[in-house]
Amino acid sequence: MFRIGKVKDALTGAKGSEIISRVIVIFALVYHIAALVVFYNIGVHQMFYFNCGSVLLFFILAVAIYTDFVKDISLSFYISYIEVVAHQLLADYYLGINTKFHYFILMMGFIVFLIIKNKPRISLIFGIFSAVIFISLEVCVDLFIPVYDINPSILAWITHANITLGVLVILALVIIFAFKSYGSEHRLEQEISKKSREVYFQNNKITQLQNHIINSLASLVENRDSDTGEHIQRTSAYVEIIARKAFEKHVYPDFINEQFISLIKRAAPMHDIGKIVVPDGILKKPGRLTPEEFEKMKLHTTEGSLIIQQIVGVSEDKKYVQIAIDVSKGHHERWDGKGYPNNLKENEIPVAARIMAIADVFDALVSPRCYKDPIPVEEAFRILREESGSHFDPILVEVFLSERDQIQEVLRKYVK
């Protein structure tokens, strides 16, 4: 239902409406002063007195608006619209419709679309009302006989002045509105850009904090299981080397890309995070585990995936979460299907888990543990090659072995 309150709300919230409303008041004041002079000189007394009242009205309104005495800009629109319609209808009646005073009614109908931009229904009502009056007068132009007989040259001058002024006012208001809208949109874009940067840096800080917590927790777990505590740094370096070389050689291109390389490097420290639930008596046992103890040890894969879901499961980067789960849960799966926890085989094993398996086993072979001494690097390379196609993905083993120099550089960096 159409209500005045809706018009008020629409005007109050419209972009640029305040500037346009002020322009309308000033134009109306100047226009009616000029009209007052014209009607006085051509002797149309009724319009002269009407314009005296209009000048006083718009003068008071202009002072009130520019002194902020009247803060409700909708008031200027109501007064201007009613006065313009009344003024133009009377002017057409006394001087004849051919003088085109009613063009200003059409102008007001157009202006309302600029002011009430955010309320199309309300602006449409005003626009249609103005258009109906204008079209009706244009259609019935021959039915009206002017009350005053004015010199044709004077009427022609008034007609051209009315049309010209109407067009100029519309163009001026469109330019003002366009400039105001552009300025508002530009400021909005700047604000959005600023907020986006803030969100980016905030998310980056959260990611850094999350990675720090994950690495700290992984180091805590690793320190229970090894002598150096640097297993997670080395395996992270190995998986990056494997993933990078595989990407360069177009190995598994449907999976391995730049994003995958970044994510698996971040996820690698979490591959053994599930060992936090394994008792020290099993983790640090110097001899072979019993079948019962080994079953408890195997739980670190599934428990690790559950811990990861709790720690990073709320992350918006679902690919990262999935890769982290894959490396934790699947890094003890075997290419021949004899691994754990799910006895997956070959391409059933996620690519991230296959890469992690190579890095994890290699580092376990060349690193000292409480239950064994390290073996030479060349011996570890030989074991990986022998178990290619049984324990490990043969394609990824070849990728790994092709980067021996980088792998040995990692060992020199982290092994003290």
Side-chain angles (χ1 to χ4, degrees):
M1 182 179 178
F2 179 75
R3 295 198 302 270
I4 294 298
K6 290 185 177 181
V7 179
K8 178 180 178 181
D9 292 339
L11 285 170
T12 303
K15 292 180 181 179
S17 59
E18 183 177 353
I19 290 179
I20 294 176
S21 296
R22 291 187 176 192
V23 169
I24 291 173
V25 171
I26 294 301
F27 171 78
L29 178 61
V30 174
Y31 174 80
H32 284 89
I33 290 174
L36 185 149
V37 174
V38 170
F39 287 123
Y40 176 80
N41 282 292
I42 63 177
V44 183
H45 304 297
Q46 296 91 334
M47 293 304 300
F48 169 76
Y49 293 123
F50 184 92
N51 275 269
C52 287
S54 297
V55 168
L56 179 62
L57 175 66
F58 283 109
F59 176 77
I60 295 172
L61 189 58
V63 172
I65 290 176
Y66 280 88
T67 58
D68 287 332
F69 181 78
V70 174
K71 298 183 181 297
D72 185 0
I73 60 173
S74 61
L75 180 63
S76 66
F77 174 75
Y78 298 144
I79 293 175
S80 299
Y81 189 87
I82 294 171
E83 196 283 336
V84 166
V85 172
H87 183 279
Q88 310 318 318
L89 288 176
L90 287 173
D92 280 341
Y93 172 74
Y94 287 111
L95 276 72
I97 294 178
N98 283 325
T99 51
K100 307 299 182 182
F101 276 96
H102 56 281
Y103 267 61
F104 287 94
I105 298 175
L106 183 64
M107 180 190 75
M108 289 301 291
F110 178 79
I111 289 173
V112 74
F113 280 94
L114 300 180
I115 299 177
I116 315 181
K117 182 182 178 183
N118 296 330
K119 296 290 184 180
R121 181 182 174 186
I122 294 174
S123 61
L124 187 63
I125 291 173
F126 276 99
I128 291 175
F129 180 74
S130 302
V132 167
I133 296 177
F134 174 81
I135 293 172
S136 298
L137 292 175
E138 282 291 296
V139 171
C140 301
V141 63
D142 296 328
L143 301 179
F144 290 86
I145 300 175
V147 174
Y148 285 84
D149 184 16
I150 307 298
N151 187 299
S153 61
I154 295 177
L155 288 178
W157 181 86
I158 292 175
T159 299
H160 288 104
N162 283 336
I163 295 175
T164 302
L165 279 175
V167 172
L168 289 177
V169 170
I170 290 175
L171 288 177
L173 290 172
V174 168
I175 292 171
I176 292 172
F177 182 78
F179 178 79
K180 182 68 176 177
S181 297
Y182 172 79
S184 298
E185 290 174 3
H186 183 64
R187 286 192 297 273
L188 180 60
E189 288 176 358
Q190 290 181 323
E191 188 65 24
I192 291 174
S193 178
K194 180 181 177 182
K195 292 294 182 183
S196 297
R197 289 194 300 270
E198 291 175 355
V199 169
Y200 171 78
F201 287 120
Q202 187 66 27
N203 288 341
N204 193 41
K205 288 181 179 179
I206 292 173
T207 299
Q208 291 177 352
L209 177 61
Q210 186 183 66
N211 289 339
H212 179 71
I213 293 171
I214 289 168
N215 288 333
S216 298
L217 183 57
S219 296
L220 176 63
V221 174
E222 182 60 26
N223 284 329
R224 297 174 60 218
D225 188 32
S226 68
D227 297 327
T228 65
E230 295 178 339
H231 174 63
I232 58 174
Q233 288 91 345
R234 292 192 297 271
T235 51
S236 294
Y238 297 149
V239 298
E240 183 180 18
I241 291 170
I242 298 171
R244 173 64 61 187
K245 193 62 178 180
F247 175 63
E248 292 173 359
K249 290 186 173 183
H250 304 288
V251 173
Y252 301 124
D254 292 339
F255 299 96
I256 301 177
N257 51 36
E258 288 288 354
Q259 183 188 34
F260 177 89
I261 296 170
S262 174
L263 295 181
I264 193 172
K265 182 182 178 182
R266 284 177 56 197
M270 290 185 282
H271 72 280
D272 274 339
I273 204 168
K275 286 183 177 180
I276 198 169
V277 303
V278 180
D280 282 348
I282 297 176
L283 277 179
K284 297 183 177 182
K285 185 176 179 179
R288 179 180 291 274
L289 299 178
T290 66
E292 292 78 13
E293 290 171 336
F294 187 57
E295 288 300 319
K296 290 183 179 180
M297 175 63 82
K298 288 198 282 187
L299 291 175
H300 82 277
T301 56
T302 52
E303 290 296 327
S305 65
L306 294 175
I307 292 170
I308 288 169
Q309 287 179 326
Q310 293 175 348
I311 295 176
V312 298
V314 296
S315 172
E316 293 184 2
D317 193 340
K318 302 306 179 185
K319 289 184 179 179
Y320 169 56
V321 176
Q322 188 57 55
I323 288 175
I325 292 173
D326 288 342
V327 300
S328 175
K329 192 174 183 179
H331 71 284
H332 283 293
E333 299 285 0
R334 291 172 54 101
W335 188 253
D336 57 13
K338 297 179 181 179
Y340 64 88
N342 296 320
N343 302 117
L344 301 178
K345 67 178 181 179
E346 298 184 0
N347 291 329
E348 293 175 349
I349 307 169
V351 173
R354 288 181 246 164
I355 293 174
M356 192 73 242
I358 296 172
D360 186 46
V361 171
F362 175 80
D363 194 68
L365 291 172
V366 299
S367 303
R369 291 290 186 268
C370 61
Y371 52 85
K372 74 169 192 68
D373 293 325
I375 66 172
V377 175
E378 289 302 323
E379 179 69 10
F381 285 142
R382 183 187 64 78
I383 291 174
L384 259 67
R385 183 176 294 280
E386 288 179 354
E387 297 195 10
S388 174
S390 58
H391 191 152
F392 309 109
D393 181 333
I395 298 176
L396 292 175
V397 168
E398 289 302 318
V399 171
F400 180 76
L401 294 177
S402 70
E403 296 298 301
R404 294 188 183 196
D405 291 342
Q406 285 196 59
I407 292 162
Q408 290 179 323
E409 181 63 32
V410 171
L411 280 171
R412 284 192 291 270
K413 180 178 178 181
Y414 288 107
V415 175
K416 298 177 182 178

mmCIF file of all heavy atoms in Angstrom, residues 219-241:
data_model
loop_
_atom_site.group_PDB
_atom_site.id
_atom_site.type_symbol
_atom_site.label_atom_id
_atom_site.label_comp_id
_atom_site.label_asym_id
_atom_site.label_seq_id
_atom_site.Cartn_x
_atom_site.Cartn_y
_atom_site.Cartn_z
ATOM 1 N N SER A 219 55.437 -31.524 16.968
ATOM 2 C CA SER A 219 56.770 -31.639 17.565
ATOM 3 C C SER A 219 56.698 -32.303 18.931
ATOM 4 O O SER A 219 57.569 -33.103 19.292
ATOM 5 C CB SER A 219 57.404 -30.244 17.693
ATOM 6 O OG SER A 219 57.620 -29.674 16.428
ATOM 7 N N LEU A 220 55.659 -31.973 19.687
ATOM 8 C CA LEU A 220 55.481 -32.595 20.994
ATOM 9 C C LEU A 220 55.320 -34.103 20.853
ATOM 10 O O LEU A 220 55.937 -34.885 21.593
ATOM 11 C CB LEU A 220 54.249 -31.996 21.687
ATOM 12 C CG LEU A 220 53.855 -32.599 23.045
ATOM 13 C CD1 LEU A 220 54.954 -32.363 24.064
ATOM 14 C CD2 LEU A 220 52.529 -32.010 23.519
ATOM 15 N N VAL A 221 54.518 -34.518 19.887
ATOM 16 C CA VAL A 221 54.320 -35.946 19.637
ATOM 17 C C VAL A 221 55.617 -36.575 19.160
ATOM 18 O O VAL A 221 56.014 -37.661 19.608
ATOM 19 C CB VAL A 221 53.204 -36.159 18.593
ATOM 20 C CG1 VAL A 221 53.101 -37.628 18.216
ATOM 21 C CG2 VAL A 221 51.873 -35.654 19.135
ATOM 22 N N GLU A 222 56.318 -35.872 18.234
ATOM 23 C CA GLU A 222 57.547 -36.413 17.663
ATOM 24 C C GLU A 222 58.641 -36.585 18.714
ATOM 25 O O GLU A 222 59.412 -37.542 18.682
ATOM 26 C CB GLU A 222 58.034 -35.489 16.544
ATOM 27 C CG GLU A 222 59.286 -35.957 15.827
ATOM 28 C CD GLU A 222 59.100 -37.294 15.161
ATOM 29 O OE1 GLU A 222 57.956 -37.642 14.822
ATOM 30 O OE2 GLU A 222 60.097 -38.008 15.004
ATOM 31 N N ASN A 223 58.715 -35.677 19.655
ATOM 32 C CA ASN A 223 59.728 -35.754 20.693
ATOM 33 C C ASN A 223 59.530 -36.961 21.605
ATOM 34 O O ASN A 223 60.459 -37.377 22.298
ATOM 35 C CB ASN A 223 59.733 -34.469 21.528
ATOM 36 C CG ASN A 223 60.384 -33.318 20.792
ATOM 37 O OD1 ASN A 223 61.281 -33.522 19.991
ATOM 38 N ND2 ASN A 223 59.919 -32.101 21.055
ATOM 39 N N ARG A 224 58.334 -37.510 21.625
ATOM 40 C CA ARG A 224 58.096 -38.734 22.395
ATOM 41 C C ARG A 224 58.604 -39.959 21.641
ATOM 42 O O ARG A 224 58.837 -41.007 22.243
ATOM 43 C CB ARG A 224 56.591 -38.919 22.644
ATOM 44 C CG ARG A 224 55.947 -37.844 23.476
ATOM 45 C CD ARG A 224 54.448 -38.046 23.529
ATOM 46 N NE ARG A 224 54.128 -39.339 24.126
ATOM 47 C CZ ARG A 224 53.133 -40.124 23.721
ATOM 48 N NH1 ARG A 224 52.384 -39.756 22.698
ATOM 49 N NH2 ARG A 224 52.904 -41.279 24.314
ATOM 50 N N ASP A 225 58.776 -39.814 20.327
ATOM 51 C CA ASP A 225 58.996 -40.999 19.485
ATOM 52 C C ASP A 225 60.379 -41.054 18.851
ATOM 53 O O ASP A 225 60.757 -42.054 18.283
ATOM 54 C CB ASP A 225 57.931 -41.015 18.378
ATOM 55 C CG ASP A 225 57.952 -42.301 17.556
ATOM 56 O OD1 ASP A 225 58.286 -43.360 18.114
ATOM 57 O OD2 ASP A 225 57.649 -42.213 16.362
ATOM 58 N N SER A 226 61.142 -39.953 18.912
ATOM 59 C CA SER A 226 62.435 -39.943 18.234
ATOM 60 C C SER A 226 63.478 -39.255 19.081
ATOM 61 O O SER A 226 63.172 -38.612 20.080
ATOM 62 C CB SER A 226 62.309 -39.242 16.882
ATOM 63 O OG SER A 226 62.052 -37.864 17.076
ATOM 64 N N ASP A 227 64.721 -39.370 18.628
ATOM 65 C CA ASP A 227 65.824 -38.781 19.373
ATOM 66 C C ASP A 227 66.065 -37.327 18.989
ATOM 67 O O ASP A 227 66.598 -36.550 19.776
ATOM 68 C CB ASP A 227 67.112 -39.581 19.113
ATOM 69 C CG ASP A 227 66.983 -41.011 19.614
ATOM 70 O OD1 ASP A 227 66.294 -41.209 20.622
ATOM 71 O OD2 ASP A 227 67.570 -41.915 18.981
ATOM 72 N N THR A 228 65.717 -36.947 17.787
ATOM 73 C CA THR A 228 66.057 -35.605 17.314
ATOM 74 C C THR A 228 64.885 -34.643 17.319
ATOM 75 O O THR A 228 65.069 -33.446 17.438
ATOM 76 C CB THR A 228 66.613 -35.664 15.880
ATOM 77 O OG1 THR A 228 65.589 -36.109 15.005
ATOM 78 C CG2 THR A 228 67.800 -36.618 15.808
ATOM 79 N N GLY A 229 63.679 -35.148 17.123
ATOM 80 C CA GLY A 229 62.510 -34.272 17.049
ATOM 81 C C GLY A 229 62.419 -33.515 15.751
ATOM 82 O O GLY A 229 61.625 -32.589 15.627
ATOM 83 N N GLU A 230 63.265 -33.852 14.734
ATOM 84 C CA GLU A 230 63.275 -33.132 13.471
ATOM 85 C C GLU A 230 62.638 -33.944 12.338
ATOM 86 O O GLU A 230 62.759 -33.579 11.166
ATOM 87 C CB GLU A 230 64.714 -32.756 13.097
ATOM 88 C CG GLU A 230 65.316 -31.761 14.086
ATOM 89 C CD GLU A 230 66.760 -31.430 13.756
ATOM 90 O OE1 GLU A 230 67.397 -32.237 13.045
ATOM 91 O OE2 GLU A 230 67.229 -30.381 14.200
ATOM 92 N N HIS A 231 61.975 -35.014 12.679
ATOM 93 C CA HIS A 231 61.336 -35.870 11.682
ATOM 94 C C HIS A 231 60.317 -35.089 10.860
ATOM 95 O O HIS A 231 60.238 -35.255 9.630
ATOM 96 C CB HIS A 231 60.671 -37.048 12.401
ATOM 97 C CG HIS A 231 59.859 -37.941 11.510
ATOM 98 N ND1 HIS A 231 60.417 -38.669 10.470
ATOM 99 C CD2 HIS A 231 58.518 -38.234 11.498
ATOM 100 C CE1 HIS A 231 59.476 -39.364 9.870
ATOM 101 N NE2 HIS A 231 58.315 -39.125 10.473
ATOM 102 N N ILE A 232 59.539 -34.228 11.517
ATOM 103 C CA ILE A 232 58.486 -33.515 10.786
ATOM 104 C C ILE A 232 59.068 -32.488 9.817
ATOM 105 O O ILE A 232 58.519 -32.265 8.738
ATOM 106 C CB ILE A 232 57.479 -32.827 11.746
ATOM 107 C CG1 ILE A 232 58.188 -31.845 12.671
ATOM 108 C CG2 ILE A 232 56.702 -33.860 12.534
ATOM 109 C CD1 ILE A 232 57.231 -31.047 13.528
ATOM 110 N N GLN A 233 60.227 -31.865 10.176
ATOM 111 C CA GLN A 233 60.850 -30.928 9.236
ATOM 112 C C GLN A 233 61.369 -31.654 8.003
ATOM 113 O O GLN A 233 61.203 -31.181 6.876
ATOM 114 C CB GLN A 233 61.999 -30.170 9.913
ATOM 115 C CG GLN A 233 61.552 -29.125 10.927
ATOM 116 C CD GLN A 233 61.444 -29.698 12.324
ATOM 117 O OE1 GLN A 233 61.425 -30.921 12.507
ATOM 118 N NE2 GLN A 233 61.366 -28.826 13.310
ATOM 119 N N ARG A 234 62.013 -32.794 8.232
ATOM 120 C CA ARG A 234 62.570 -33.523 7.093
ATOM 121 C C ARG A 234 61.469 -34.082 6.193
ATOM 122 O O ARG A 234 61.547 -33.971 4.956
ATOM 123 C CB ARG A 234 63.483 -34.651 7.585
ATOM 124 C CG ARG A 234 64.767 -34.160 8.249
ATOM 125 C CD ARG A 234 65.738 -35.316 8.424
ATOM 126 N NE ARG A 234 65.211 -36.348 9.302
ATOM 127 C CZ ARG A 234 65.372 -36.373 10.632
ATOM 128 N NH1 ARG A 234 66.048 -35.389 11.229
ATOM 129 N NH2 ARG A 234 64.877 -37.364 11.346
ATOM 130 N N THR A 235 60.459 -34.709 6.797
ATOM 131 C CA THR A 235 59.400 -35.284 5.960
ATOM 132 C C THR A 235 58.638 -34.198 5.203
ATOM 133 O O THR A 235 58.220 -34.417 4.057
ATOM 134 C CB THR A 235 58.418 -36.109 6.816
ATOM 135 O OG1 THR A 235 57.963 -35.328 7.933
ATOM 136 C CG2 THR A 235 59.074 -37.376 7.315
ATOM 137 N N SER A 236 58.469 -33.021 5.806
ATOM 138 C CA SER A 236 57.820 -31.909 5.086
ATOM 139 C C SER A 236 58.648 -31.512 3.881
ATOM 140 O O SER A 236 58.118 -31.225 2.797
ATOM 141 C CB SER A 236 57.642 -30.707 6.016
ATOM 142 O OG SER A 236 56.727 -30.993 7.047
ATOM 143 N N ALA A 237 59.985 -31.491 4.063
ATOM 144 C CA ALA A 237 60.866 -31.156 2.942
ATOM 145 C C ALA A 237 60.808 -32.231 1.865
ATOM 146 O O ALA A 237 60.779 -31.928 0.663
ATOM 147 C CB ALA A 237 62.294 -30.985 3.452
ATOM 148 N N TYR A 238 60.761 -33.507 2.278
ATOM 149 C CA TYR A 238 60.717 -34.597 1.294
ATOM 150 C C TYR A 238 59.424 -34.547 0.464
ATOM 151 O O TYR A 238 59.467 -34.723 -0.763
ATOM 152 C CB TYR A 238 60.803 -35.955 1.991
ATOM 153 C CG TYR A 238 62.088 -36.203 2.740
ATOM 154 C CD1 TYR A 238 62.100 -37.006 3.892
ATOM 155 C CD2 TYR A 238 63.289 -35.657 2.307
ATOM 156 C CE1 TYR A 238 63.276 -37.243 4.584
ATOM 157 C CE2 TYR A 238 64.468 -35.884 2.999
ATOM 158 C CZ TYR A 238 64.460 -36.673 4.142
ATOM 159 O OH TYR A 238 65.620 -36.901 4.822
ATOM 160 N N VAL A 239 58.291 -34.348 1.131
ATOM 161 C CA VAL A 239 57.035 -34.346 0.369
ATOM 162 C C VAL A 239 56.988 -33.172 -0.600
ATOM 163 O O VAL A 239 56.452 -33.297 -1.704
ATOM 164 C CB VAL A 239 55.791 -34.331 1.294
ATOM 165 C CG1 VAL A 239 55.734 -35.559 2.163
ATOM 166 C CG2 VAL A 239 55.715 -33.071 2.139
ATOM 167 N N GLU A 240 57.585 -32.052 -0.217
ATOM 168 C CA GLU A 240 57.623 -30.914 -1.140
ATOM 169 C C GLU A 240 58.488 -31.240 -2.351
ATOM 170 O O GLU A 240 58.137 -30.911 -3.494
ATOM 171 C CB GLU A 240 58.154 -29.670 -0.441
ATOM 172 C CG GLU A 240 58.141 -28.447 -1.346
ATOM 173 C CD GLU A 240 58.657 -27.193 -0.684
ATOM 174 O OE1 GLU A 240 59.337 -27.295 0.357
ATOM 175 O OE2 GLU A 240 58.390 -26.095 -1.222
ATOM 176 N N ILE A 241 59.624 -31.913 -2.112
ATOM 177 C CA ILE A 241 60.502 -32.290 -3.219
ATOM 178 C C ILE A 241 59.784 -33.252 -4.168
ATOM 179 O O ILE A 241 59.816 -33.076 -5.391
ATOM 180 C CB ILE A 241 61.788 -32.953 -2.667
ATOM 181 C CG1 ILE A 241 62.647 -31.909 -1.950
ATOM 182 C CG2 ILE A 241 62.586 -33.604 -3.803
ATOM 183 C CD1 ILE A 241 63.808 -32.506 -1.173
#
